Amino acid sequence: MTLDVGPRVPQTSVAPGPLEVIAPILVRWVTGPTVVEVAENLAFVLGGVVDELGWLGITDAWTRRNAAPYASWVTGHSSNPVGAHRAHAAADLFGPAAETVASTAFLLDSSIPTEPDPHLVGDATMEQLFAALVARAIHTLKRDGAEYPARADVFVLPPGLTARPEDAPPGWRNIAALVVVTARRPWDMDEDEDQHVITDAFQAARAALDGHWSDLPEEFRSAALSLDMLAALRGNITSSGARAMYEELVSAAVFHTHTLGADPDLDPTKADRR
């Protein structure tokens, strides 16, 4: 996280007072007579604060947008390397995993201009334009130089449901959507395939949005958070909790569209839920 996000952190997101307190502690952790593993212990220390204040309570607008993929560390959650190793070992023993159609979901948070786009036609809204850009971008996803077809169902959420007004710069307003991505993948080969698909879809969506609204400041550009992580941040750590949040967000949506021209077999109503 430090190597990836650290160099891009704006000065306004750095609090000098707390930094003066924590920096010497971290130095002692890695230079003292007993070396302390930083990431997991820092996550453990912050876990209690997150439980009390929540993800929104410990982050500013820039962090919510740009550090969301690392929220699992901050909240004390960690990946399961043993499970991932077993999945890879099983793939080596039994050959390639069969490709199946399944869906995964993430929250996409971004900003759009407050003034209507001059290219809008008829009664079209900025929410519809945003959703169309995202849905179209996820028609074909890329990973490691290879392409695979996908479909996105984009549910635009009402203002203020998942973000705060200050999450957008002057002249812009915040917009959030639940994005359900469906693809035919060897889902069981890697237990992190859900996150890989989310990453592929988010990169495609962000590129499309950045291309259309290139003058949006970097610190306010799109960010993503997986649905299960969003549920966990709200205290719903079970699959049923994530399902309940999915249904809550879908029912609250003010607009829904999907990728046009996608393979009919990628209809999420026919797919397995991840």
Side-chain angles (χ1 to χ4, degrees), residues 171-259:
W172 300 77
R173 57 189 175 93
N174 179 264
I175 186 170
L178 176 69
V179 182
V180 180
V181 186
T182 307
R184 183 179 290 102
R185 302 289 302 167
W187 295 90
D188 296 327
M189 185 177 69
D190 186 340
E191 67 170 16
D192 291 328
E193 181 63 16
D194 279 18
Q195 188 58 53
H196 295 326
V197 170
I198 288 174
T199 299
D200 298 339
F202 169 65
Q203 290 176 344
R206 177 166 181 164
L209 294 172
D210 289 353
H212 194 81
W213 290 301
S214 58
D215 51 344
L216 176 65
E218 170 67 27
E219 60 267 30
F220 291 98
R221 292 190 176 180
S222 305
L225 187 66
S226 65
L227 178 64
D228 57 351
M229 180 55 63
L230 176 64
L233 291 171
R234 294 188 177 182
N236 300 319
I237 60 175
T238 64
S239 57
S240 61
R243 163 62 67 175
M245 176 158 291
Y246 167 83
E247 294 174 350
E248 172 192 340
L249 295 179
V250 168
S251 63
V254 296
F255 179 71
H256 165 242
T257 191
H258 62 83
T259 303

Side-chain angles (χ1 to χ4, degrees), residues 49-50 52-60 64 164 233:
V49 182
V50 176
E52 179 180 352
L53 302 177
W55 175 245
L56 292 178
I58 67 165
T59 54
D60 65 356
R64 282 193 288 277
R164 297 175 177 179
L233 291 171

Side-chain angles (χ1 to χ4, degrees), residues 44 60-61 65-66 74 98 185 262-263:
F44 176 79
D60 65 356
R65 293 178 173 278
N66 293 273
V74 178
R185 302 289 302 167
D263 184 342

